[in-house]
Amino acid sequence: MMTNKYCQALAALRCKPAHELKEVGDQWRTPDLLFWGINALFGPLVLDLFADDDNAKCPAWYTAEDNALTQNWSERLAELGGAAFANPPYSRSQYHDKQAITGMTHIMNHTMDMRERGGRYIYLVKSATSETWWPEDADHIMFIRGRIGFDLPVWFVPADEKQKPTSAFFAGAIAVFDKSWRGERFSYISRTDLEEKGKAFMSLVTFAACKAQLAETVQPPAPLTSPEVESRIWPLEVGLVFNQVEGVDVLSEAQQNKLKANINQLWLERTATSEIITVASELVRNMRGEAA
């Protein structure tokens, strides 16, 4: 149940039949390659501070309804045993019953409070050193060489052909808040190096998940005789896009895995979600034609 105007506006936006880029606002998603690269450097990242059920990057997260600015992050991290991640919302300060919901100054103030209580907090932020909220008191700042961009939310339906990101790339930085930090204050990394680290970590996660799945299999590996069926765990984004493609329920398991492999490749190439769905729909039509 929605408790404030900010949450109500988000719910209304997600339910719209079509959207414009200017409406995305706080809802841009961190690309997985960047997230996993950051996780490789400063993780394990286990708590997403500003997320929702569609875009959370960690196994635990706070939604707008939870209002992260009212939560004890340090206490939660002590339970989870890792670090927190944030791609914070940049919208102007909004309040509910005099309690801040958004606003970078409020976010940074709460972050410093949580830092003092313990825990590590990793932020992916715009490299906007002239902004009043810029985290000068962060324990470490890693500047990213090369402009970065964010992904559209999974619910985004372009209102027309003009609603495609063309200039969403900007300078970025990784801010580390951790009073136990003993390293240097500043460092640099190229975007491509960060993405390569992310790709390597994602491969490791996929490998580990497949090994775990096989270890839990009670029957002998006889089903592996079918060369078309690939046993792997697909990234969350692949499953979300797959579920938006019509006609997948009539495909065989082998065809579904083939379709997911194509979706995964397009996703790694940072193709827009709407374009991936279009290509995937065409593949489904072809597969159904072959089956017939």
Side-chain angles (χ1 to χ4, degrees):
M1 184 175 181
M2 300 300 166
T3 58
N4 57 66
K5 292 182 179 180
Y6 181 78
C7 294
Q8 292 170 356
L10 282 180
L13 178 63
R14 294 174 185 137
C15 293
K16 289 181 64 174
H19 308 89
E20 296 183 0
L21 288 174
K22 63 182 180 181
E23 297 177 298
V24 176
D26 292 338
Q27 302 303 298
W28 289 95
R29 297 184 301 135
T30 304
D32 264 14
L33 288 182
L34 287 181
F35 169 78
W36 285 107
I38 294 170
N39 182 79
L41 293 170
F42 302 108
L45 303 176
V46 296
L47 176 64
D48 197 332
L49 299 176
F50 304 97
D52 58 49
D53 296 344
D54 291 327
N55 66 17
K57 296 294 184 183
C58 304
W61 62 91
Y62 295 128
T63 66
E65 290 83 358
D66 296 324
N67 190 1
L69 298 184
T70 65
Q71 305 293 332
N72 188 327
W73 308 344
S74 177
E75 188 176 85
R76 188 73 175 106
L77 286 181
E79 298 171 356
L80 296 170
F85 169 76
N87 169 12
Y90 294 98
S91 59
R92 292 181 178 179
S93 299
Q94 296 191 46
Y95 304 85
H96 177 67
D97 290 340
K98 298 183 179 181
Q99 167 62 51
I101 303 171
T102 61
M104 287 299 289
T105 299
H106 298 299
I107 290 172
M108 290 303 175
N109 288 340
H110 194 66
T111 302
M112 295 307 293
D113 180 30
M114 291 299 107
R115 172 193 176 276
E116 289 304 310
R117 301 189 191 195
R120 173 176 291 186
Y121 309 94
I122 311 299
Y123 284 24
L124 176 61
V125 296
K126 297 179 181 179
S127 184
T129 56
S130 62
E131 295 288 344
T132 55
W133 56 260
W134 176 252
E136 292 183 358
D137 296 329
D139 297 282
H140 181 71
I141 297 287
M142 175 178 281
F143 292 97
I144 302 173
R145 289 193 173 104
R147 292 184 175 272
I148 64 174
F150 290 114
D151 293 338
L152 287 166
V154 295
W155 46 257
F156 184 86
V157 178
D160 52 56
E161 294 184 357
K162 296 180 180 179
Q163 306 309 314
K164 293 183 179 181
T166 56
S167 57
F169 291 85
F170 52 83
I174 303 165
V176 178
F177 304 87
D178 181 356
K179 66 179 181 180
S180 67
W181 181 266
R182 295 296 180 266
E184 55 192 346
R185 286 293 305 279
F186 303 101
S187 64
Y188 297 85
I189 189 171
S190 71
R191 189 198 72 223
T192 53
D193 284 348
L194 188 59
E195 290 175 338
E196 284 302 313
K197 290 182 182 297
K199 188 180 298 183
F201 207 101
M202 288 175 68
S203 297
L204 177 62
V205 170
T206 301
F207 174 76
C210 289
K211 293 280 285 185
Q213 184 183 49
L214 290 174
E216 293 176 358
T217 302
V218 177
Q219 298 179 350
L224 297 179
T225 54
S226 174
E228 290 186 297
V229 179
E230 182 184 5
S231 174
R232 70 173 291 182
I233 302 298
W234 299 100
L236 174 63
E237 280 77 3
V238 172
L240 291 173
V241 174
F242 178 85
N243 291 334
Q244 296 181 62
V245 181
E246 294 184 0
V248 296
D249 54 328
V250 302
L251 299 179
S252 67
E253 185 178 359
Q255 289 174 322
Q256 289 184 7
N257 275 288
K258 182 177 180 181
L259 181 64
K260 289 178 180 179
N262 280 277
I263 292 174
N264 187 54
Q265 183 60 42
L266 292 170
W267 169 66
L268 289 175
E269 293 171 1
R270 305 180 75 171
T271 306
T273 300
S274 58
E275 294 180 18
I276 297 178
I277 293 174
T278 300
V279 173
S281 298
E282 182 63 28
L283 284 172
V284 170
R285 286 191 288 270
N286 291 339
M287 289 177 180
R288 295 178 68 177
E290 293 171 1

